[in-house]
Amino acid sequence: MRNRVSKWLIMALVLAMGLTLATVHARADGIVRISPGRADKPGFLVVIEYPGQYELSGNLRVTDANTTAVEINADNVTLDLNGYTIQGPARCAKMTASCAPAGSGNGVHAVNRRNVLVKNGNIEGMGNYGVYLETNSGRIERLVLAGNAHGGAVFFGGSISDSIAEANGGDGVFGVDLKVRRNVLRNNRGYGLKAFGKTMSRNNEFIGNNRNAAQSNLKSVTGNGDTCAAAACP
């Protein structure tokens, strides 16, 4: 009996070591890959609890307008959509119509976090916002934010660059103390850009938004190099 127990114990240790080595090897590049089909807990498909670099390995599909695709509960997180799409259930019939179904679910959501970067992919049809970063150091780069029920992106301090916010049910981009550069903001139900505080807008293209192209501190503004429908903004 003692030999049999020892044999099983050795086998268990070998298996444990093998699994550990496999895990280390899979993450040797330092990137944590997020696979489709995740359901970490009710209301969230993916919950990120630790700093680091994360990357989608496929599209994330959200069937409930009240479900958030990715919740970030850590500082110093880079989320690379890797060219994939976070797809929610909302649909927007046309620019002046509301989107449905609307809800509380965001494509990417973070509250009271520092140094969060979301980049390189598409976020479409979420019940609330494509990206909601309640942080003073959030960054959005090379995203397409389209057809989200309440708006494209909301964040409170940070930058959005080289991105598209189009056909959203509210403002394309909304926030405080923003740096908004080289984006296309078009056909949103609200403003292309609505901001407060010290916001800088530069080299953006505004097309067909339902209200003014850009508003800062409740006044219409035009940033350096901004264009409206391929012409200089009035």
Side-chain angles (χ1 to χ4, degrees):
M1 176 65 70
R2 183 177 301 170
N3 291 337
R4 184 178 300 173
V5 171
S6 299
K7 179 181 178 181
W8 285 111
L9 179 59
I10 291 170
M11 290 180 64
L13 288 172
V14 169
L15 285 172
M17 289 177 65
L19 288 173
T20 302
L21 290 172
T23 302
V24 171
H25 178 72
R27 299 183 179 179
D29 58 2
I31 298 174
V32 180
R33 289 170 176 80
I34 299 172
S35 62
R38 288 274 290 270
D40 286 359
K41 63 180 182 179
F44 305 95
L45 296 186
V46 178
V47 179
I48 294 175
E49 299 282 6
Y50 302 100
Q53 298 184 56
Y54 296 80
E55 179 182 274
L56 295 190
S57 61
N59 297 326
L60 292 181
R61 299 196 178 277
V62 181
T63 58
D64 177 13
N66 294 309
T67 294
T68 288
V70 181
E71 176 78 3
I72 298 175
N73 289 336
D75 298 334
N76 303 314
V77 168
T78 294
L79 176 60
D80 185 350
L81 303 192
N82 197 26
Y84 291 108
T85 298
I86 296 175
Q87 179 68 61
R91 298 293 182 270
C92 306
K94 55 183 179 179
M95 181 183 71
T96 57
S98 59
C99 306
S104 58
N106 300 290
V108 179
H109 183 247
V111 176
N112 295 329
R113 301 299 169 188
R114 294 183 293 109
N115 192 27
V116 173
L117 168 62
V118 186
K119 65 179 184 177
N120 192 28
N122 309 300
I123 303 178
E124 304 174 356
M126 297 305 301
N128 198 24
Y129 293 96
V131 176
Y132 190 109
L133 302 179
E134 192 171 320
T135 166
N136 61 7
S137 54
R139 289 178 292 152
I140 296 172
E141 299 175 0
R142 301 189 304 279
L143 287 188
V144 175
L145 304 163
N148 299 289
H150 288 148
V154 173
F155 55 121
F156 301 91
S159 65
I160 178 170
S161 61
D162 304 300
S163 296
I164 297 172
E166 64 179 349
N168 294 288
D171 301 316
V173 175
F174 177 92
V176 179
D177 297 337
L178 306 180
K179 294 180 179 179
V180 185
R181 295 171 291 200
R182 301 183 304 276
N183 304 288
V184 177
L185 308 168
R186 63 190 176 204
N187 297 336
N188 295 287
R189 191 179 185 217
Y191 292 92
L193 167 65
K194 186 174 183 180
F196 295 86
K198 296 180 180 179
T199 291
M200 182 273 288
S201 173
R202 179 172 295 172
N203 297 326
N204 302 289
E205 184 175 4
F206 297 90
I207 302 173
N209 297 288
N210 194 33
R211 297 177 183 165
N212 286 346
Q215 184 189 80
S216 180
N217 298 311
L218 304 180
K219 296 180 181 179
S220 297
V221 295
T222 299
N224 184 27
D226 287 348
T227 61
C228 295
C233 294

